[in-house]
Amino acid sequence: TYNIAIGYETMDAMDSGEDHNIGIGYNVMGTMNNASSTTNIAIGSYALDHTGTAAVHSCIAIGQSTLGAVNHADASGSTAIGMSASQDLTSGEDSVSLGFEANKATTTGDGNTAIGYRANKWTTTDGYNTVIGTYGAKKWKSRRIDITKADDGSSSSTIVAEVFKIPANSVISMISARVIQVSGGVGTYT
């Protein structure tokens, strides 16, 4: 009772107890069927569409496919605004996503806050990230660097640097590398 449903197959699985929900768009909250699923707002096709019998409450999903994969009560209280924001979130707790595809791939990561176009888009299970800005933080990219003919006095040596991570679209302020010398010495340099 006290629900507002506008759109084809919107809230069509609700039977009793799912109160104070607002759904606007095609198939919004379409599988929701738990008496404790209350006080949700979903606007946009497929928003909050896969909750099923999970007791999901107090979510705000505005935009096509926002919070579209939520299927566990742990995701209650999540907020996603922008097309495909938190689209893949299933059970991650305390998620806030604002912007096109913000936190899109996050499934179970808790405490992620992403604000901006595709901010934190590629993080899947990592948690407690705060990302602000266009692209914010793409998935960490690993790079392996091979340096040949190093100035170590030999003409045939190959030096292989340890793998390090550089976030894409970021400013690098410091790189730390572990150097293994031909003579067997090991040191860390920054």
Side-chain angles (χ1 to χ4, degrees), residues 106-158:
T106 304
T107 56
T108 58
D110 296 339
N112 287 308
T113 299
I115 300 171
Y117 177 85
R118 291 188 169 155
N120 210 37
K121 176 185 175 181
W122 293 271
T123 297
T124 55
T125 59
D126 192 26
Y128 304 100
N129 295 297
T130 300
V131 179
I132 300 173
T134 300
Y135 287 99
K138 283 187 176 180
K139 184 177 182 180
W140 286 88
K141 302 289 185 183
S142 296
R143 298 288 184 248
R144 181 181 176 99
I145 300 174
D146 293 335
I147 304 170
T148 57
K149 199 171 181 184
D151 189 8
D152 64 349
S154 70
S155 60
S156 63
S157 66
T158 298

Side-chain angles (χ1 to χ4, degrees), residues 20-38:
H20 305 284
N21 295 293
I22 299 171
I24 301 172
Y26 176 77
N27 212 13
V28 173
M29 291 188 255
T31 65
M32 188 173 283
N33 188 358
N34 185 301
S36 295
S37 293
T38 60

Side-chain angles (χ1 to χ4, degrees), residues 23-93:
I24 301 172
Y26 176 77
N27 212 13
V28 173
M29 291 188 255
T31 65
M32 188 173 283
N33 188 358
N34 185 301
S36 295
S37 293
T38 60
T39 62
N40 294 294
I41 299 171
I43 301 171
S45 297
Y46 307 104
L48 266 175
D49 183 45
H50 285 88
T51 58
T53 59
V56 176
H57 62 88
S58 308
C59 289
I60 298 173
I62 300 175
Q64 181 177 329
S65 301
T66 53
L67 298 175
V70 169
N71 62 8
H72 196 280
D74 284 352
S76 292
S78 294
T79 300
I81 300 173
M83 182 177 170
S84 300
S86 287
Q87 173 181 316
D88 297 336
L89 187 72
T90 56
S91 61
E93 299 177 16

Side-chain angles (χ1 to χ4, degrees), residues 63 96 137 166 175:
V96 176
I166 300 172
I175 295 177

